[in-house]
Amino acid sequence: MSDTKQLCLSGKGVTKVFGHGKTKTVAVDNVDFEFYSGDLISIVGESGSGKTTLIKMLLGLTSVTDGEIHFMGQPRDIKTRHKKKEYWKGIQAIFQDPYSSYNIFSKIDTVLLDCIHMRGGRRLPKETKTEMMREACSFVNLKFDEMTNKYPFELSGGQMQRLMIARIFLLKPKILLADEPTSMIDACSRATILDFLLKLRDEVGMTIIFITHDMGLAYYVSDTVFIMEKGKIVEHGSANDVILNPKAPYTVQLLNDIPKIHDPWEFSRNRREVSDAG
Amino acid sequence: MKTHLRAVLRSGKFIVGFTIFAAILLLVFIYPLFNPGNPLQMIGYNSFTKPGTYVSLYDSLDTRRVYTFRPPGAADVRIDAKLSPEDRESIMEWLLSYSEQEGLGLTERDIDIEYTEGLMALWWQYYDSEIRLDGMTIARRREFERLDLRLDGLFNLDDLHVMALDPETGEYDILFATVSDDDYVNVDDVANVIYLPLGTDGFGRDVLKQLVSAIGTSLWIGLIAGSIATAIGLTLGLISGYIGGIVDDIVMFFTNLITVIPGIVLLILISYSISQLERGPVTVAIVIGVTGWAWTTRSVRSQVMSLRNRDHVNLSKLSGHSIPKIIVRDILPYIASYVVMAFILQISIGILSEATLSMLGLGPSTTTTATLGLMLDWSIMKSTAHISGAWWAYYPVILAIALISFSLNLMNTGLDQVFNPQLRD
């Protein structure tokens, strides 16, 4: 299946090092990856495994210490501000914490208008802009007319994250990096957010790179799974391969950390098996 | 924002500080309406006139509306008014130390400070302004001199005859007025009355009028110096904090350079290099502002550095905003409350720096405007106010400086408690 798919984002030997000398920390260590367009890719790992740093590098928010990143088959060039802006038209992100993702001094309209302006819609008539914003909001089941002149922090966490998706809907990037978009909101809203992400992929045709620490979630949504441990990708492949047939011990451990409600005994027995195997 | 505003108005410290500051401002604006004119006008030739209401002696005698009261014990009342319990204590203190020095053998039991005649007899017997007692300061000696002058003729109950010179005979024989100790004049009937609530300074200028004008000027200096320091500090802090890298290194190099040189040295050197005539209040304010931005830069920088990696800034970057736009829209509003606090503190520092410079004679050029620092300078300039016992020439100034910086600091602390959740009580 991957033969017909186009390579949209790939990296070779991507490394990020913070500090130098004794305080040197390798956050992302010589990572190779290939992301194909139209996929929903999960990057799974625990806190501190370098997921977020990788995302920041992919977004161009942090410099890359070493290695190359290719975007749509071309080496990525984000040296000037103009080129960066062009790059960000193709790649966007949703952050983990909806409460800190918004400028608390800007109204919701401003957030959405910025996206229209970025897509070159600065000179559009006001009615068209309003119509576009209304459409984006209805895409994520928000009522635009109730939200004009409100501030983002007046919404609930789930609504804020949905607004974030509405923002992405307006920007229509080729790639969306979702950095644990569901970890800060309650379980009921979580499913909704995931549904909207899938809807984005299916209706708009976006490639979604989904960062999570939750294996179950990754299995539920993704086509391809990358497992990261201490800055390295230890295992990758299709979701079925990786999760039903794990090879790396770290993957097995992650799988065992998924809480099983019905069978606590099974859970602890699994644990023992791991230690036996290890 | 609204909740913050409400919290500010509920903060006791802020309200107290604001009330004091508003009262000072009100005084600055309203007092000149009631007492217009040049605050530096010399209204009398004598230096350090005591605070009080001055009635023209000539006009009081000339009112022709003299009321003869006969209050019981009028003489005692007059003596009590002239010789306060503190004066009695002072007299005893002088007598005791004199007797100790000369070996007179006077003890506390010999001196009854309640018995006026006895006390005064001893005083007039021994006191001489030429006598120098061991360990007595000049200021204290002058105090006793003034006390002695005041007590002259304490028991005199004779009528006072005011004569006029007869131009024909050249003799004092035309009786102008006879005043007995029972005669009183209503102040309202006297034509020429001067109110000096804080007396005059060493140049015979009304201290209160000068003080009000000086507070106004000093607040201006503080405002200008504070604005300049905050503007420079904010701009450099934002740039070095947000952009980082080599820009940060360069800015921090200069900031550290200014931080390690004591501010007062820099102030003195720059002020000294500007000639006295060109040093107006605005020049001094600019000098203070230009030297005082370092710590604002440092603190704004650290605030910005913690903000620049927040998600909302990243989102703004991803929306393709330019650096100036991100700074103005996504960084500045978040540190606005902090900047306001820094600004208030800078005003207070500006006022204090001006006072320091002026005390050293490096303030605004004298004789054109009054500032709080210049008033202090003047009070130690000619005949020192402290030695002359003229507390009114410098205490009110010190009080004004203390009140202004106290109120500003209180407002600053109040705001800090509102905006910094960790300090909220």
Side-chain angles (χ1 to χ4, degrees):
Chain A
M1 199 168 135
S2 62
D3 305 338
T4 55
K5 279 181 178 171
Q6 196 193 343
L7 197 65
C8 68
L9 195 65
S10 62
K12 211 161 178 58
V14 176
T15 306
K16 178 71 187 177
V17 181
F18 289 111
H20 39 75
K22 272 187 182 170
T23 57
K24 182 171 155 178
T25 320
V26 183
V28 176
D29 190 2
N30 200 13
V31 160
D32 300 334
F33 53 85
E34 286 175 340
F35 299 148
Y36 292 93
S37 52
D39 273 358
L40 202 156
I41 301 125
S42 287
I43 301 179
V44 189
E46 54 188 16
S47 313
S49 61
K51 296 170 297 179
T52 303
T53 312
L54 181 64
I55 283 296
K56 290 251 166 81
M57 281 194 290
L58 291 180
L59 278 171
L61 293 173
T62 323
S63 63
V64 180
T65 312
D66 201 14
E68 280 177 7
I69 293 174
H70 290 253
F71 176 64
M72 305 312 286
Q74 306 282 322
R76 183 177 77 161
D77 182 10
I78 49 164
K79 291 213 173 60
T80 64
R81 204 177 79 75
H82 183 73
K83 279 179 180 160
K84 252 188 185 170
K85 202 173 167 180
E86 282 305 311
Y87 180 63
W88 284 330
K89 278 182 189 170
I91 187 162
Q92 278 289 330
I94 297 176
F95 296 114
Q96 181 174 7
D97 183 5
Y99 297 93
S100 73
S101 295
Y102 293 99
N103 181 343
I104 56 167
F105 298 97
S106 302
K107 289 183 177 159
I108 290 171
D109 311 39
T110 323
V111 175
L112 295 175
L113 271 177
D114 279 347
C115 304
I116 297 176
H117 292 168
M118 189 170 176
R119 296 290 303 179
R122 195 174 285 276
R123 285 172 206 286
L124 287 175
K126 212 180 165 193
E127 292 76 35
T128 322
K129 285 183 187 174
T130 314
E131 200 44 55
M132 285 167 85
M133 289 194 275
R134 190 169 287 128
E135 191 198 356
C137 285
S138 64
F139 179 80
V140 289
N141 278 348
L142 287 174
K143 291 197 177 70
F144 175 68
D145 300 298
E146 285 173 12
M147 298 198 306
T148 46
N149 278 321
K150 263 193 179 176
Y151 289 94
F153 60 82
E154 291 175 79
L155 303 177
S156 73
Q159 282 176 317
M160 278 196 226
Q161 216 57 317
R162 267 145 70 194
L163 185 68
M164 213 37 128
I165 294 173
R167 198 181 153 269
I168 302 299
F169 179 79
L170 277 174
L171 284 166
K172 294 195 173 56
K174 291 196 178 64
I175 303 169
L176 169 64
L177 299 167
D179 185 1
E180 302 200 33
T182 58
S183 67
M184 300 286 277
I185 50 182
D186 60 275
C188 307
S189 311
R190 194 166 294 175
T192 335
I193 299 295
L194 288 172
D195 283 345
F196 285 128
L197 284 179
L198 291 171
K199 203 174 154 193
L200 265 184
R201 183 186 63 162
D202 297 338
E203 291 183 13
V204 189
M206 245 171 246
T207 311
I208 295 175
I209 299 168
F210 189 75
I211 310 284
T212 182
H213 54 261
D214 187 342
M215 274 299 230
L217 204 61
Y219 179 62
Y220 168 61
V221 294
S222 51
D223 304 313
T224 317
V225 175
F226 284 73
I227 310 285
M228 273 190 92
E229 184 195 11
K230 289 174 188 163
K232 284 184 176 134
I233 290 180
V234 290
E235 190 170 5
H236 68 93
S238 74
N240 281 332
D241 281 355
V242 172
I243 288 161
L244 300 181
N245 199 2
K247 291 183 187 71
Y250 183 68
T251 317
V252 179
Q253 196 189 324
L254 277 177
L255 278 168
N256 285 326
D257 287 344
I258 304 170
K260 294 175 183 65
I261 303 170
H262 301 296
D263 215 347
W265 174 246
E266 194 72 20
F267 171 65
S268 53
R269 207 189 60 187
N270 277 348
R271 268 243 130 137
R272 209 172 299 133
E273 276 174 10
V274 171
S275 57
D276 289 345
Chain B
M1 267 298 57
K2 232 178 225 170
T3 48
H4 269 170
L5 213 64
R6 220 171 292 143
V8 166
L9 293 178
R10 237 180 293 142
S11 153
K13 279 181 184 167
F14 181 83
I15 288 179
V16 172
F18 185 76
T19 314
I20 298 173
F21 192 72
I24 294 170
L25 268 187
L26 217 62
L27 181 75
V28 170
F29 283 114
I30 289 185
Y31 185 78
L33 298 180
F34 290 105
N35 196 352
N38 179 11
L40 293 187
Q41 193 192 1
M42 296 188 189
I43 53 169
Y45 295 108
N46 285 8
S47 57
F48 299 127
T49 321
K50 248 175 71 170
T53 309
Y54 287 81
V55 294
S56 154
L57 193 60
Y58 189 93
D59 286 343
S60 348
L61 291 173
D62 204 23
T63 48
R64 309 285 173 206
R65 300 186 69 175
V66 175
Y67 305 94
T68 304
F69 284 111
R70 295 212 178 276
D76 292 341
V77 171
R78 195 164 62 95
I79 289 169
D80 279 347
K82 275 190 160 183
L83 187 66
S84 66
E86 289 79 26
D87 292 338
R88 292 170 195 262
E89 297 271 353
S90 302
I91 288 173
M92 186 168 80
E93 182 203 326
W94 188 91
L95 287 171
L96 286 176
S97 29
Y98 179 68
S99 106
E100 198 180 316
Q101 186 173 328
E102 300 289 315
L104 294 175
L106 278 173
T107 59
E108 268 185 57
R109 233 173 300 142
D110 299 328
I111 306 165
D112 181 5
I113 56 171
E114 296 301 320
Y115 176 51
T116 315
E117 280 84 359
L119 188 69
M120 290 317 294
L122 281 171
W123 173 253
W124 283 321
Q125 184 187 343
Y126 294 120
Y127 182 76
D128 188 341
S129 59
E130 296 300 312
I131 294 170
R132 282 159 195 263
L133 293 181
D134 292 339
M136 188 170 283
T137 58
I138 301 176
R140 192 82 178 121
R141 252 178 65 210
R142 292 277 160 79
E143 245 171 65
F144 281 113
E145 270 174 43
R146 287 194 294 274
L147 180 66
D148 188 47
L149 280 174
R150 199 163 72 233
L151 295 178
D152 200 20
L154 185 69
F155 301 123
N156 191 0
L157 292 178
D158 296 340
D159 285 357
L160 189 68
H161 300 286
V162 184
M163 317 287 264
L165 186 70
D166 189 340
E168 286 176 15
T169 58
E171 285 173 12
Y172 291 96
D173 60 357
I174 305 171
L175 203 59
F176 187 71
T178 303
V179 187
S180 85
D181 67 320
D182 298 327
D183 290 342
Y184 290 81
V185 174
N186 189 330
V187 178
D188 295 339
D189 291 337
V190 181
N192 196 356
V193 182
I194 299 171
Y195 298 100
L196 293 173
L198 291 176
T200 68
D201 70 356
F203 301 94
R205 301 177 294 200
D206 184 349
V207 171
L208 181 62
K209 206 166 165 182
Q210 223 183 89
L211 182 69
V212 171
S213 140
I215 291 174
T217 321
S218 278
L219 284 177
W220 261 120
I221 291 176
L223 195 70
I224 296 172
S227 307
I228 292 173
T230 310
I232 298 177
L234 181 62
T235 317
L236 290 180
L238 281 173
I239 290 173
S240 95
Y242 186 77
I243 297 175
I246 184 92
V247 180
D248 185 29
D249 290 343
I250 294 170
V251 171
M252 284 325 282
F253 173 75
F254 285 107
T255 311
N256 289 335
L257 211 64
I258 287 195
T259 317
V260 290
I261 303 171
I264 186 76
V265 175
L266 217 59
L267 268 180
I268 290 171
L269 289 178
I270 297 178
S271 300
Y272 189 70
S273 63
I274 304 170
S275 81
Q276 163 94 49
L277 291 174
E278 283 163 26
R279 265 195 326 245
V282 177
T283 324
V284 170
I286 290 172
V287 170
I288 294 169
V290 163
T291 52
W293 50 266
W295 69 264
T296 309
T297 307
R298 289 185 75 95
S299 42
V300 167
R301 171 179 170 268
S302 62
Q303 297 257 331
V304 173
M305 283 176 88
S306 77
L307 273 171
R308 73 170 175 198
N309 287 325
R310 291 254 196 107
D311 281 348
H312 77 267
V313 178
N314 283 335
L315 196 78
S316 198
K317 279 184 195 164
L318 289 178
S319 301
H321 291 154
S322 59
I323 289 177
K325 193 169 181 185
I326 291 175
I327 288 179
V328 169
R329 251 183 54 172
D330 300 300
I331 304 265
L332 207 51
Y334 281 80
I335 58 168
S337 59
Y338 184 81
V339 173
V340 170
M341 274 154 44
F343 177 55
I344 290 177
L345 217 57
Q346 288 280 18
I347 293 178
S348 161
I349 291 173
I351 291 169
L352 291 176
S353 303
E354 185 276 326
T356 317
L357 274 182
S358 299
M359 276 284 280
L360 296 169
L362 293 167
S365 56
T366 45
T367 71
T368 48
T369 36
T371 69
L372 290 173
L374 279 177
M375 284 186 75
L376 287 177
D377 188 35
W378 290 331
S379 78
I380 55 168
M381 209 172 176
K382 209 175 138 196
S383 47
T384 311
H386 177 61
I387 291 178
S388 316
W391 54 266
W392 54 88
Y394 57 96
Y395 265 128
V397 185
I398 294 170
L399 193 71
I401 293 177
L403 269 183
I404 291 173
S405 54
F406 173 68
S407 65
L408 288 172
N409 278 290
L410 216 55
M411 280 200 271
N412 178 54
T413 323
L415 285 178
D416 201 15
Q417 275 185 344
V418 171
F419 291 119
N420 190 345
Q422 287 178 336
L423 295 178
R424 232 171 260 168
D425 38 31

